[in-house]
């Protein structure tokens, strides 16, 4: 599944143009989704240095995206191509109903998993 993920208000608190504090379990969940085979696209309003700072924070937390503000890494953007991302799922704090908890997102996508000890996380919040 291709999942487009917003940054401000979704992965971190909304403090744009600064970078807010990490939302609980955001990076753990996103990395677990990647381990499950999902492709993650960073889908954000940020550009230039502000985008570079966001990408660098994610890399520092061990999260590499399949693509950033594009459908696939090699896509060439021009003024004739809109920034609409083609994905199976969009995770954004501006969703109807607001931003769900990251643990709820994972549980919805993988209901066969149980929350207990996650073998990949120091925070030990679910088992894969």
């Amino acid at each position: 599944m291709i999942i487009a993920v917003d940054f401000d208000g979704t992965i971190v608190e909304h403090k744009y143009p600064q970078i807010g504090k990490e939302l609980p379990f955001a990076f753990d969940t996103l990395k677990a989704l990647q381990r499950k085979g999902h492709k993650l696209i960073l889908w954000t309003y940020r550009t230039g240095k502000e985008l570079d700072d966001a990408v660098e924070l994610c890399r520092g937390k061990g999260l590499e995206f399949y693509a950033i503000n594009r459908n696939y890494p090699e896509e060439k953007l021009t003024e004739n191509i809109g920034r609409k991302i083609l994905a199976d799922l969009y995770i954004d704090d501006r969703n109807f109903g607001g931003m769900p908890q990251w643990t709820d997102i994972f549980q919805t996508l993988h209901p066969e998993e149980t929350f207990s000890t996650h073998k990949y996380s120091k925070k030990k919040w679910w088992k894969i």
Side-chain angles (χ1 to χ4, degrees):
M1 179 181 299
I2 297 173
I3 303 173
V5 183
D6 182 35
F7 184 75
D8 295 289
T10 304
I11 296 175
V12 298
E13 292 176 345
H14 201 298
K15 302 288 183 185
Y16 181 84
Q18 286 76 36
I19 293 180
K21 192 169 68 170
E22 171 188 349
L23 290 179
F25 303 112
F27 288 105
D28 288 331
T29 302
L30 290 167
K31 290 186 286 186
L33 289 171
Q34 283 183 322
R35 285 189 293 276
K36 289 296 222 173
H38 301 288
K39 290 183 179 178
L40 304 180
I41 296 175
L42 182 61
W43 170 54
T44 178
Y45 177 78
R46 289 176 175 261
T47 60
K49 181 177 177 352
E50 293 162 352
L51 177 60
D52 293 341
D53 292 344
V55 170
E56 189 56 38
L57 172 76
C58 293
R59 279 192 185 125
K61 297 283 189 173
L63 180 63
E64 291 279 342
F65 291 94
Y66 167 70
I68 299 168
N69 283 344
R70 56 192 68 205
N71 292 303
Y72 51 90
E74 304 81 19
E75 182 179 28
K76 302 293 183 211
L77 299 179
T78 69
E79 62 185 47
N80 297 329
I81 298 174
R83 284 184 53 187
K84 177 122 176 147
I85 299 297
L86 178 61
D88 300 303
L89 177 68
Y90 301 85
I91 302 175
D92 191 324
D93 61 309
R94 308 269 172 133
N95 291 325
F96 180 79
M99 179 66 192
Q101 297 293 314
W102 277 103
T103 52
D104 292 340
I105 292 169
F106 187 89
Q107 190 71 60
T108 299
L109 294 174
H110 295 282
E112 72 281 3
E113 305 296 345
T114 58
F115 287 80
S116 62
T117 303
H118 184 286
K119 68 182 179 183
Y120 300 108
S121 174
K122 294 177 188 165
K123 295 178 183 169
K124 302 198 184 315
W125 58 285
W126 78 66
K127 183 178 179 182
I128 295 182

